């Protein structure tokens, strides 16, 4: 994954459409600059109070005035290991405003990945890097999730399993506290796996299309279609079988960290059995990574 270059970039993303609708239509660039300045003033005030010795959960932020003619209200929500989150109400619209307490730009780094994981990642609209006290910090504005389902983590992990197979995406720190209402809220933990045995970058477009179909058949519990696609892959694209063998193995390890629903685990076991059998019978010695080949 391409890292965020703090020396080149200062802001990323766009204002939320609800806020853009409030802004003057004549010059959106000027309105965006005004919006960034407004939010950065709040973030800098947070760091001023932090530097004065206040505990992170005791800092009170007050908007310096109206934004685009609308009242602004802030309420403290929570703090994690890296940043603190406030609920910011602009007019009738609420958003999550995260201010990083150290020089971390994790959200900005992964912002480009969110389009590949729309069903899993809480949408980040805009972020900005600013300087305070000789150090660079960042803030990011995302959707505010009001409620949290009881099956939030279970739902998110099933999404993560299929994103691992079809997109090469993984969550480095997958636990219930990083998810809300089935969405990932600790976005820096999202990453693209790299250098793994099941590296999705090794697949051709045709092979990736077959992988996506196999994943879809798992989702829909369509065993006959899955078997037919496995047979087809064995004849025309055996690399797909090798990929699925390792990807399904590591996807389970990456997503089944705090338990899963019995139904999903049982379903996966059936499909894993088909892939394992196909891989064992095929024995793709020539295609296997060097360190897995016999005699290595």
């Amino acid at each position: 994954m391409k890292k965020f270059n703090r020396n080149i970039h200062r802001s990323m993303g766009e204002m939320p459409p609800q806020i853009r609708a409030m802004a003057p239509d004549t010059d959106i660039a000027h309105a965006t600059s005004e919006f960034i300045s407004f939010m950065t003033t709040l973030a800098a005030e947070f760091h001023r109070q932090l530097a004065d010795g206040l505990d992170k959960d005791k800092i009170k932020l007050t908007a310096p005035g109206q934004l685009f003619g609308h009242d602004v209200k802030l309420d403290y929500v929570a703090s994690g290991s890296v940043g603190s989150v406030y609920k910011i109400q602009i007019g009738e619209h609420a958003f999550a405003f995260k201010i990083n307490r150290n020089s971390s730009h994790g959200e900005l780094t992964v912002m480009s990945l969110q389009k590949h994981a729309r069903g899993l990642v809480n949408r980040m609209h805009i972020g900005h890097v600013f300087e305070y006290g000789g150090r660079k910090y960042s803030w990011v504005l995302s959707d505010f999730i009001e409620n949290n389902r009881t099956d939030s983590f279970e739902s998110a992990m099933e999404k993560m399993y299929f994103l691992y197979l079809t997109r090469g995406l993984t969550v480095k720190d997958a636990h219930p506290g990083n998810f809300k209402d089935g969405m990932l809220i600790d976005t820096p933990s999202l990453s693209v796996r790299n250098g793994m045995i099941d590296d999705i970058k090794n697949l051709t477009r045709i092979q990736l299309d077959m992988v996506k179909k196999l994943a879809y058949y798992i989702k829909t519990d369509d065993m006959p279609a899955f078997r037919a696609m496995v047979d087809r892959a064995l004849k025309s694209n055996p690399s797909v079988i090798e990929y699925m063998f390792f990807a399904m193995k590591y996807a389970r390890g990456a997503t089944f960290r705090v338990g899963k629903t019995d139904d999903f685990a049982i379903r996966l076991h059936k499909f894993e059995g088909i892939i394992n059998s196909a891989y064992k019978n095929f024995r793709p010695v020539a295609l296997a990574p060097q360190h897995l080949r016999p005699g290595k």
Side-chain angles (χ1 to χ4, degrees):
M1 180 174 63
K2 186 176 181 180
K3 297 298 183 181
F4 177 77
N5 189 329
R6 70 189 72 180
N7 296 317
I8 298 176
H9 302 87
R10 294 195 64 80
S11 62
M12 295 183 67
E14 298 179 343
M15 282 194 296
Q18 303 94 322
I19 306 302
R20 289 190 62 175
M22 300 177 184
D25 295 330
T26 53
D27 188 353
I28 191 63
H30 178 77
T32 301
S33 178
E34 182 179 344
F35 177 78
I36 290 173
S37 177
F38 185 92
M39 301 299 290
T40 301
T41 298
L42 292 173
E45 173 60 20
F46 173 89
H47 276 279
R48 185 192 69 78
Q49 295 188 42
L50 193 66
D52 285 345
L54 285 180
D55 291 337
K56 55 185 180 295
D57 57 343
K58 302 296 183 182
I59 294 176
K60 304 296 182 182
L61 292 182
T62 303
Q66 289 188 328
L67 178 63
F68 304 135
H70 294 267
D71 292 332
V72 179
K73 180 184 177 183
L74 291 106
D75 293 298
Y76 175 77
V77 176
S79 289
S81 59
V82 174
S84 296
V85 180
Y86 286 78
K87 176 182 179 181
I88 182 167
Q89 184 96 13
I90 305 173
E92 298 179 352
H93 306 291
F95 302 92
F97 178 40
K98 180 177 180 179
I99 309 167
N100 281 324
R101 298 190 305 276
N102 57 29
S103 297
S104 171
H105 306 107
E107 289 85 2
L108 301 185
T109 299
V110 304
M111 189 176 283
S112 61
L113 295 180
Q114 66 177 348
K115 63 182 179 181
H116 301 298
R118 288 189 178 96
L120 178 77
V121 178
N122 183 35
R123 184 182 177 187
M124 296 173 285
H125 294 283
I126 190 170
H128 184 69
V129 174
F130 66 100
E131 187 170 325
Y132 183 87
R135 296 185 63 188
K136 288 183 172 66
Y137 303 94
S138 66
W139 58 261
V140 66
L141 194 76
S142 59
D143 288 338
F144 185 79
I145 302 177
E146 192 75 47
N147 301 312
N148 195 11
R149 303 196 307 270
T150 55
D151 67 341
S152 175
F153 185 67
E154 299 287 318
S155 172
M157 289 299 96
E158 291 192 17
K159 296 175 188 175
M160 191 66 253
Y161 182 89
F162 293 107
L163 283 172
Y164 191 101
L165 293 185
T166 61
R167 294 284 190 176
L169 297 176
T170 186
V171 176
K172 294 178 292 185
D173 191 16
H175 63 81
N178 282 347
F179 295 85
K180 190 173 183 181
D181 206 27
M183 305 291 284
L184 176 66
I185 57 175
D186 183 30
T187 52
S189 61
L190 181 70
S191 65
V192 177
R193 65 180 187 268
N194 189 27
M196 298 286 288
I197 298 171
D198 55 327
D199 195 338
I200 199 168
K201 296 178 182 177
N202 294 333
L203 298 178
T204 66
R205 183 172 296 181
I206 292 175
Q207 291 168 345
L208 181 58
D209 184 58
M210 296 179 78
V211 166
K212 289 180 178 179
K213 288 180 180 178
L214 287 168
Y216 174 76
Y217 297 143
I218 297 173
K219 273 187 177 182
T220 56
D221 201 14
D222 192 339
M223 187 74 69
F226 187 86
R227 286 184 182 276
M229 182 59 66
V230 168
D231 291 340
R232 177 183 165 189
L234 280 170
K235 296 175 182 178
S236 62
N237 277 287
S239 292
V240 170
I241 303 301
E242 182 189 33
Y243 172 82
M244 288 295 291
F245 175 80
F246 287 109
M248 292 179 76
K249 174 182 178 181
Y250 291 120
R252 179 182 281 267
T255 59
F256 279 43
R257 297 180 182 177
V258 190
K260 291 293 299 178
T261 58
D262 290 338
D263 290 344
F264 188 58
I266 292 172
R267 187 200 322 165
L268 284 181
H269 185 70
K270 296 186 300 181
F271 289 98
E272 286 170 346
I274 295 174
I275 288 294
N276 293 348
S277 178
Y279 182 79
K280 179 180 178 180
N281 293 332
F282 173 56
R283 297 183 185 278
V285 174
L287 295 176
Q290 290 288 336
H291 66 286
L292 294 181
R293 296 180 187 175
K296 295 293 182 182

